[in-house]
Amino acid sequence: MTHFTRGRLARLGLVAVAAASLMLAGCSTVGSTSGASTDSATDSTFTVGFAVGGQPDADWQDLQGEVAKGLAEQRGWNFVELSNDNSEATATKNADIFIQKGVNMVMMFNGQPSANPVIAKKYADAGIPVVTFDIAQPGWYFVGVDNATAGTDGGTALGNLAKSKWNCQVDLVISAEGTAAGQINTWRTGNARDAVKKVCPNIPEANYVSYEADGNLTTSLANAPGVFAAHPDAKNILVVGLNDQAVVGALQAATQLGRDGSIMGWGQDGGLITGANVDPHLAGSVMYFLEGYPAEAFKIADEIAAGKAPAVKDTGTDPAASVQPCPVTAAQAAAIPNINDRVSQLAAAPQGTTEYDLFCKA
Protein backbone atom coordinates (compact mmCIF):
# COMPACT_ATOMS: atom_id res chain seq x y z
CA MET A 1 0.00 0.00 0.00
CA THR A 2 1.08 3.55 -0.61
CA HIS A 3 1.58 5.42 2.67
CA PHE A 4 -0.04 8.84 3.08
CA THR A 5 2.05 11.71 4.39
CA ARG A 6 0.44 14.47 6.43
CA GLY A 7 0.37 16.69 3.32
CA ARG A 8 -1.31 13.98 1.28
CA LEU A 9 -3.93 13.46 3.98
CA ALA A 10 -4.64 17.18 3.99
CA ARG A 11 -5.19 17.12 0.25
CA LEU A 12 -7.44 14.10 0.63
CA GLY A 13 -9.86 16.24 2.62
CA LEU A 14 -10.35 18.36 -0.49
CA VAL A 15 -10.70 15.27 -2.63
CA ALA A 16 -13.49 13.89 -0.47
CA VAL A 17 -15.42 17.10 -1.02
CA ALA A 18 -14.69 16.99 -4.74
CA ALA A 19 -15.99 13.46 -5.07
CA ALA A 20 -19.62 14.44 -4.55
CA SER A 21 -19.67 16.90 -7.41
CA LEU A 22 -17.64 14.65 -9.71
CA MET A 23 -19.98 11.68 -9.32
CA LEU A 24 -22.50 10.94 -12.05
CA ALA A 25 -26.07 11.80 -11.07
CA GLY A 26 -28.16 8.84 -10.01
CA CYS A 27 -25.30 6.36 -9.54
CA SER A 28 -25.66 3.83 -6.74
CA THR A 29 -23.04 1.86 -4.87
CA VAL A 30 -22.65 -1.89 -5.15
CA GLY A 31 -22.49 -4.02 -2.02
CA SER A 32 -22.12 -2.69 1.50
CA THR A 33 -21.63 1.02 1.99
CA SER A 34 -19.85 0.51 5.31
CA GLY A 35 -16.61 -1.08 6.32
CA ALA A 36 -14.90 -0.39 3.00
CA SER A 37 -11.32 -1.64 3.13
CA THR A 38 -8.20 -0.27 1.47
CA ASP A 39 -6.35 -3.55 1.97
CA SER A 40 -8.36 -6.37 0.47
CA ALA A 41 -11.54 -7.38 -1.27
CA THR A 42 -12.91 -9.89 1.21
CA ASP A 43 -16.62 -9.21 0.75
CA SER A 44 -19.06 -8.56 -2.07
CA THR A 45 -18.39 -4.82 -2.17
CA PHE A 46 -17.18 -3.55 -5.53
CA THR A 47 -13.42 -3.11 -5.34
CA VAL A 48 -11.18 -0.84 -7.41
CA GLY A 49 -7.47 -1.52 -7.75
CA PHE A 50 -5.50 1.62 -8.50
CA ALA A 51 -1.82 1.67 -9.51
CA VAL A 52 -0.13 5.08 -9.44
CA GLY A 53 2.84 5.56 -11.76
CA GLY A 54 5.50 6.02 -9.12
CA GLN A 55 7.68 8.24 -11.27
CA PRO A 56 9.93 10.67 -9.39
CA ASP A 57 9.16 14.40 -9.54
CA ALA A 58 5.54 13.70 -10.51
CA ASP A 59 3.31 14.63 -7.56
CA TRP A 60 0.22 14.48 -9.76
CA GLN A 61 0.56 10.69 -9.82
CA ASP A 62 0.08 10.36 -6.07
CA LEU A 63 -2.76 12.86 -6.25
CA GLN A 64 -4.49 10.72 -8.88
CA GLY A 65 -4.53 7.96 -6.29
CA GLU A 66 -5.96 10.28 -3.67
CA VAL A 67 -8.70 11.50 -6.01
CA ALA A 68 -9.55 7.90 -6.87
CA LYS A 69 -9.59 6.90 -3.18
CA GLY A 70 -11.97 9.75 -2.41
CA LEU A 71 -14.29 8.76 -5.25
CA ALA A 72 -14.29 5.12 -4.13
CA GLU A 73 -15.03 6.05 -0.52
CA GLN A 74 -17.88 8.30 -1.61
CA ARG A 75 -19.46 5.29 -3.32
CA GLY A 76 -18.79 2.94 -0.40
CA TRP A 77 -16.44 0.82 -2.50
CA ASN A 78 -13.29 -0.97 -1.46
CA PHE A 79 -10.05 0.59 -2.74
CA VAL A 80 -6.61 -0.97 -3.10
CA GLU A 81 -3.73 1.33 -4.08
CA LEU A 82 -0.26 0.23 -5.16
CA SER A 83 2.61 2.03 -6.87
CA ASN A 84 4.16 0.82 -10.12
CA ASP A 85 7.38 2.53 -8.98
CA ASN A 86 8.13 3.37 -12.63
CA SER A 87 9.22 -0.28 -12.98
CA GLU A 88 8.16 -3.00 -15.41
CA ALA A 89 8.78 -5.69 -12.80
CA THR A 90 6.77 -3.88 -10.12
CA ALA A 91 3.86 -3.16 -12.45
CA THR A 92 3.75 -6.86 -13.38
CA LYS A 93 3.89 -7.91 -9.73
CA ASN A 94 1.13 -5.43 -8.89
CA ALA A 95 -1.12 -7.11 -11.43
CA ASP A 96 -0.67 -10.40 -9.58
CA ILE A 97 -1.48 -8.68 -6.27
CA PHE A 98 -4.64 -7.08 -7.62
CA ILE A 99 -5.77 -10.41 -9.03
CA GLN A 100 -5.06 -12.17 -5.72
CA LYS A 101 -7.09 -9.55 -3.88
CA GLY A 102 -10.04 -10.12 -6.18
CA VAL A 103 -10.52 -6.56 -7.40
CA ASN A 104 -13.39 -5.94 -9.80
CA MET A 105 -11.46 -3.55 -12.01
CA VAL A 106 -8.10 -1.80 -12.23
CA MET A 107 -7.14 1.78 -13.09
CA MET A 108 -3.54 2.78 -13.62
CA PHE A 109 -0.81 4.87 -15.11
CA ASN A 110 2.22 2.84 -16.16
CA GLY A 111 5.18 4.82 -17.44
CA GLN A 112 6.93 1.58 -18.49
CA PRO A 113 4.35 0.22 -20.93
CA SER A 114 6.58 -2.46 -22.46
CA ALA A 115 5.23 -4.65 -19.65
CA ASN A 116 1.61 -3.98 -20.59
CA PRO A 117 1.09 -6.91 -22.99
CA VAL A 118 2.08 -9.38 -20.25
CA ILE A 119 -0.03 -7.53 -17.69
CA ALA A 120 -2.96 -7.39 -20.12
CA LYS A 121 -2.95 -11.17 -20.52
CA LYS A 122 -3.02 -11.62 -16.76
CA TYR A 123 -6.04 -9.37 -16.40
CA ALA A 124 -7.80 -10.86 -19.42
CA ASP A 125 -7.37 -14.37 -18.03
CA ALA A 126 -8.78 -13.14 -14.70
CA GLY A 127 -11.67 -11.32 -16.38
CA ILE A 128 -10.72 -7.97 -14.83
CA PRO A 129 -11.38 -4.81 -16.89
CA VAL A 130 -8.66 -2.15 -16.91
CA VAL A 131 -8.62 1.62 -17.42
CA THR A 132 -5.29 2.99 -18.59
CA PHE A 133 -4.30 6.64 -18.41
CA ASP A 134 -2.66 8.25 -21.45
CA ILE A 135 -0.84 5.13 -22.74
CA ALA A 136 -3.02 2.86 -24.85
CA GLN A 137 -3.12 -0.93 -24.59
CA PRO A 138 -5.41 -3.14 -26.71
CA GLY A 139 -8.34 -4.34 -24.64
CA TRP A 140 -8.08 -1.61 -21.97
CA TYR A 141 -10.33 1.42 -21.63
CA PHE A 142 -8.25 4.43 -22.71
CA VAL A 143 -8.70 7.62 -20.70
CA GLY A 144 -6.43 10.48 -21.61
CA VAL A 145 -5.69 13.62 -23.44
CA ASP A 146 -6.07 14.01 -27.20
CA ASN A 147 -2.36 13.33 -27.65
CA ALA A 148 -2.23 14.15 -31.35
CA THR A 149 -3.82 17.56 -30.83
CA ALA A 150 -1.69 18.20 -27.74
CA GLY A 151 1.52 17.56 -29.65
CA THR A 152 0.48 19.81 -32.50
CA ASP A 153 -0.66 22.58 -30.14
CA GLY A 154 2.63 22.56 -28.23
CA GLY A 155 4.83 22.53 -31.31
CA THR A 156 2.81 25.28 -32.97
CA ALA A 157 3.13 27.50 -29.91
CA LEU A 158 6.88 26.93 -29.70
CA GLY A 159 7.32 27.51 -33.43
CA ASN A 160 5.42 30.78 -33.18
CA LEU A 161 7.74 31.89 -30.38
CA ALA A 162 10.77 31.06 -32.50
CA LYS A 163 9.24 32.99 -35.37
CA SER A 164 8.55 36.10 -33.29
CA LYS A 165 11.82 36.08 -31.31
CA TRP A 166 14.33 34.67 -33.80
CA ASN A 167 12.62 35.03 -37.19
CA CYS A 168 12.79 31.21 -37.36
CA GLN A 169 16.59 31.27 -37.30
CA VAL A 170 16.85 28.05 -35.27
CA ASP A 171 20.14 26.18 -34.96
CA LEU A 172 18.82 23.09 -33.20
CA VAL A 173 15.44 21.47 -32.53
CA ILE A 174 15.81 18.79 -29.87
CA SER A 175 13.22 16.05 -29.44
CA ALA A 176 13.33 14.48 -25.97
CA GLU A 177 11.78 11.16 -26.94
CA GLY A 178 10.03 8.54 -24.84
CA THR A 179 10.08 5.64 -27.27
CA ALA A 180 8.61 3.15 -24.78
CA ALA A 181 5.35 5.11 -24.98
CA GLY A 182 5.01 4.08 -28.63
CA GLN A 183 2.26 5.87 -30.50
CA ILE A 184 1.82 8.33 -27.64
CA ASN A 185 5.39 9.52 -28.15
CA THR A 186 4.79 9.79 -31.88
CA TRP A 187 1.73 11.95 -31.33
CA ARG A 188 3.19 14.18 -28.65
CA THR A 189 6.84 14.51 -29.64
CA GLY A 190 6.52 13.80 -33.35
CA ASN A 191 3.54 16.08 -33.88
CA ALA A 192 5.26 18.86 -31.92
CA ARG A 193 8.33 18.53 -34.14
CA ASP A 194 6.20 18.53 -37.27
CA ALA A 195 4.33 21.61 -36.07
CA VAL A 196 7.61 23.49 -35.58
CA LYS A 197 8.50 22.56 -39.17
CA LYS A 198 5.19 23.88 -40.41
CA VAL A 199 5.61 27.25 -38.68
CA CYS A 200 9.30 27.52 -39.60
CA PRO A 201 9.67 25.47 -42.81
CA ASN A 202 13.18 26.70 -43.61
CA ILE A 203 14.92 25.14 -40.61
CA PRO A 204 17.38 22.65 -42.15
CA GLU A 205 16.51 19.00 -41.60
CA ALA A 206 19.99 18.44 -40.15
CA ASN A 207 19.06 20.79 -37.31
CA TYR A 208 16.49 18.31 -35.97
CA VAL A 209 17.94 15.79 -33.51
CA SER A 210 16.47 13.30 -31.04
CA TYR A 211 17.62 11.49 -27.93
CA GLU A 212 16.03 9.10 -25.43
CA ALA A 213 14.60 10.85 -22.37
CA ASP A 214 12.23 8.07 -21.27
CA GLY A 215 9.73 10.61 -19.96
CA ASN A 216 11.90 11.03 -16.88
CA LEU A 217 13.75 14.15 -15.75
CA THR A 218 16.75 12.24 -14.41
CA THR A 219 17.18 10.18 -17.59
CA SER A 220 16.68 13.23 -19.77
CA LEU A 221 19.23 15.23 -17.80
CA ALA A 222 21.75 12.38 -18.06
CA ASN A 223 21.34 11.83 -21.81
CA ALA A 224 20.91 15.38 -23.10
CA PRO A 225 24.57 16.51 -22.76
CA GLY A 226 25.57 14.24 -25.63
CA VAL A 227 23.28 16.19 -27.94
CA PHE A 228 24.79 19.52 -26.94
CA ALA A 229 28.32 18.14 -27.29
CA ALA A 230 27.53 16.96 -30.82
CA HIS A 231 26.33 20.45 -31.80
CA PRO A 232 28.82 22.83 -30.14
CA ASP A 233 27.98 25.83 -32.33
CA ALA A 234 24.17 25.73 -31.89
CA LYS A 235 22.84 28.87 -30.20
CA ASN A 236 19.10 29.27 -30.85
CA ILE A 237 17.71 26.00 -29.55
CA LEU A 238 14.16 24.62 -29.22
CA VAL A 239 13.13 21.58 -27.17
CA VAL A 240 10.00 19.45 -27.50
CA GLY A 241 9.33 16.12 -25.84
CA LEU A 242 7.06 13.47 -24.40
CA ASN A 243 6.27 15.40 -21.23
CA ASP A 244 7.43 18.26 -19.04
CA GLN A 245 10.04 16.11 -17.34
CA ALA A 246 11.68 15.14 -20.63
CA VAL A 247 11.82 18.75 -21.83
CA VAL A 248 13.00 20.21 -18.53
CA GLY A 249 15.79 17.62 -18.37
CA ALA A 250 17.19 19.03 -21.60
CA LEU A 251 16.79 22.60 -20.36
CA GLN A 252 18.58 21.83 -17.11
CA ALA A 253 21.39 20.12 -19.00
CA ALA A 254 21.79 23.25 -21.14
CA THR A 255 22.03 25.38 -18.01
CA GLN A 256 24.64 23.10 -16.44
CA LEU A 257 26.70 23.24 -19.65
CA GLY A 258 26.38 27.01 -20.05
CA ARG A 259 24.38 26.53 -23.26
CA ASP A 260 21.18 28.19 -22.07
CA GLY A 261 21.74 31.68 -23.46
CA SER A 262 19.09 31.23 -26.14
CA ILE A 263 16.97 28.12 -25.54
CA MET A 264 13.21 27.57 -25.21
CA GLY A 265 11.22 24.44 -24.46
CA TRP A 266 7.52 23.61 -24.59
CA GLY A 267 6.36 20.71 -22.48
CA GLN A 268 3.51 18.23 -22.47
CA ASP A 269 1.22 17.38 -19.51
CA GLY A 270 1.76 20.57 -17.45
CA GLY A 271 3.40 18.68 -14.61
CA LEU A 272 6.28 21.17 -14.21
CA ILE A 273 4.77 24.40 -15.55
CA THR A 274 3.06 25.49 -12.30
CA GLY A 275 4.47 26.22 -8.87
CA ALA A 276 7.37 28.24 -7.52
CA ASN A 277 10.29 26.53 -9.29
CA VAL A 278 9.39 26.51 -12.98
CA ASP A 279 12.48 26.32 -15.19
CA PRO A 280 12.95 29.82 -16.68
CA HIS A 281 13.50 28.34 -20.14
CA LEU A 282 10.25 26.34 -20.12
CA ALA A 283 8.25 28.76 -22.24
CA GLY A 284 5.02 26.84 -21.87
CA SER A 285 3.33 23.47 -21.75
CA VAL A 286 0.14 21.71 -22.77
CA MET A 287 -1.73 21.13 -19.51
CA TYR A 288 -3.81 17.98 -19.14
CA PHE A 289 -4.96 18.58 -15.53
CA LEU A 290 -3.70 15.11 -14.78
CA GLU A 291 -5.05 14.92 -11.25
CA GLY A 292 -8.59 14.90 -12.62
CA TYR A 293 -8.28 11.75 -14.75
CA PRO A 294 -9.87 9.42 -12.15
CA ALA A 295 -13.13 11.36 -12.37
CA GLU A 296 -13.44 10.22 -15.98
CA ALA A 297 -12.37 6.68 -15.12
CA PHE A 298 -15.00 6.38 -12.40
CA LYS A 299 -17.73 7.10 -14.92
CA ILE A 300 -16.67 3.86 -16.58
CA ALA A 301 -16.45 2.14 -13.18
CA ASP A 302 -20.02 3.19 -12.35
CA GLU A 303 -21.29 1.42 -15.45
CA ILE A 304 -19.24 -1.70 -14.79
CA ALA A 305 -20.41 -1.83 -11.16
CA ALA A 306 -24.02 -1.55 -12.35
CA GLY A 307 -23.53 -4.54 -14.64
CA LYS A 308 -23.63 -2.39 -17.76
CA ALA A 309 -20.00 -2.35 -18.84
CA PRO A 310 -19.57 -0.08 -21.88
CA ALA A 311 -17.85 -1.30 -25.01
CA VAL A 312 -14.09 -1.08 -24.69
CA LYS A 313 -12.54 1.86 -26.51
CA ASP A 314 -8.81 1.40 -26.32
CA THR A 315 -7.14 3.93 -28.59
CA GLY A 316 -6.27 7.59 -28.46
CA THR A 317 -8.20 8.13 -31.68
CA ASP A 318 -11.35 6.51 -30.23
CA PRO A 319 -10.96 6.81 -26.44
CA ALA A 320 -13.29 5.75 -23.69
CA ALA A 321 -12.92 9.31 -22.37
CA SER A 322 -10.95 12.18 -23.89
CA VAL A 323 -9.37 15.03 -21.93
CA GLN A 324 -9.17 18.39 -23.71
CA PRO A 325 -5.56 19.67 -23.92
CA CYS A 326 -4.83 23.19 -22.70
CA PRO A 327 -1.72 24.90 -24.14
CA VAL A 328 -0.48 27.69 -21.85
CA THR A 329 2.55 29.95 -21.71
CA ALA A 330 4.55 30.08 -18.49
CA ALA A 331 2.92 33.42 -17.68
CA GLN A 332 -0.57 32.00 -18.21
CA ALA A 333 0.27 28.94 -16.12
CA ALA A 334 1.40 31.17 -13.26
CA ALA A 335 -2.15 32.50 -13.02
CA ILE A 336 -3.68 29.00 -12.74
CA PRO A 337 -4.44 27.87 -9.16
CA ASN A 338 -2.28 25.21 -7.57
CA ILE A 339 -3.37 21.61 -7.69
CA ASN A 340 -5.18 21.64 -4.33
CA ASP A 341 -7.08 24.81 -5.17
CA ARG A 342 -8.05 23.37 -8.55
CA VAL A 343 -9.63 20.37 -6.84
CA SER A 344 -11.44 22.66 -4.40
CA GLN A 345 -12.80 24.93 -7.13
CA LEU A 346 -13.91 21.96 -9.18
CA ALA A 347 -15.88 20.66 -6.21
CA ALA A 348 -17.77 23.96 -5.99
CA ALA A 349 -18.51 24.18 -9.72
CA PRO A 350 -21.75 23.05 -11.39
CA GLN A 351 -21.88 19.36 -12.18
CA GLY A 352 -20.37 18.56 -15.56
CA THR A 353 -17.81 21.37 -15.32
CA THR A 354 -14.26 20.32 -16.12
CA GLU A 355 -10.93 21.79 -15.10
CA TYR A 356 -10.53 22.79 -18.73
CA ASP A 357 -13.69 24.87 -18.40
CA LEU A 358 -12.49 26.50 -15.20
CA PHE A 359 -8.83 27.13 -15.90
CA CYS A 360 -8.17 26.97 -19.64
CA LYS A 361 -11.08 28.83 -21.21
CA ALA A 362 -10.52 31.64 -18.73
Side-chain angles (χ1 to χ4, degrees), residues 36-64:
S37 168
T38 58
D39 294 317
S40 63
T42 56
D43 54 31
S44 61
T45 304
F46 193 82
T47 301
V48 174
F50 196 96
V52 299
Q55 291 179 323
D57 303 309
D59 290 345
W60 58 267
Q61 294 181 10
D62 283 347
L63 190 53
Q64 281 187 342

Side-chain angles (χ1 to χ4, degrees), residues 7 12 22 80 85 94 97 104 109 115 128 144 151 181 183 194 204 223 249 299 311 329 343-344 352 355 361:
L12 188 54
L22 291 170
V80 182
D85 290 333
N94 287 345
I97 293 173
N104 297 100
F109 174 78
I128 297 174
Q183 182 62 49
D194 290 345
N223 292 346
K299 295 176 184 179
T329 65
V343 172
S344 180
E355 289 189 66
K361 287 182 178 179

Side-chain angles (χ1 to χ4, degrees), residues 180-331:
Q183 182 62 49
I184 303 302
N185 180 64
T186 300
W187 278 326
R188 294 188 189 178
T189 311
N191 280 21
R193 183 171 52 243
D194 290 345
V196 170
K197 292 180 181 180
K198 186 173 182 179
V199 176
C200 296
N202 294 325
I203 299 174
E205 190 64 32
N207 291 11
Y208 288 86
V209 297
S210 297
Y211 75 98
E212 183 56 54
D214 197 33
N216 180 275
L217 191 149
T218 302
T219 303
S220 182
L221 179 60
N223 292 346
V227 175
F228 292 106
H231 299 83
D233 298 324
K235 292 182 172 57
N236 291 345
I237 302 171
L238 301 178
V239 184
V240 299
L242 177 69
N243 56 11
D244 278 15
Q245 290 200 44
V247 172
V248 170
L251 300 177
Q252 289 186 0
T255 298
Q256 291 180 6
L257 295 168
R259 298 286 300 277
D260 61 340
S262 187
I263 188 170
M264 298 186 294
W266 198 286
Q268 290 284 336
D269 77 18
L272 298 179
I273 195 64
T274 60
N277 298 307
V278 177
D279 189 287
H281 303 293
L282 186 62
S285 183
V286 182
M287 295 192 72
Y288 305 166
F289 302 112
L290 298 162
E291 70 279 359
Y293 279 23
E296 296 290 348
F298 267 75
K299 295 176 184 179
I300 300 169
D302 284 328
E303 296 187 67
I304 292 173
K308 300 177 181 179
V312 173
K313 294 186 176 183
D314 57 8
T315 68
T317 54
D318 186 22
S322 184
V323 178
Q324 182 72 24
C326 177
V328 292
T329 65

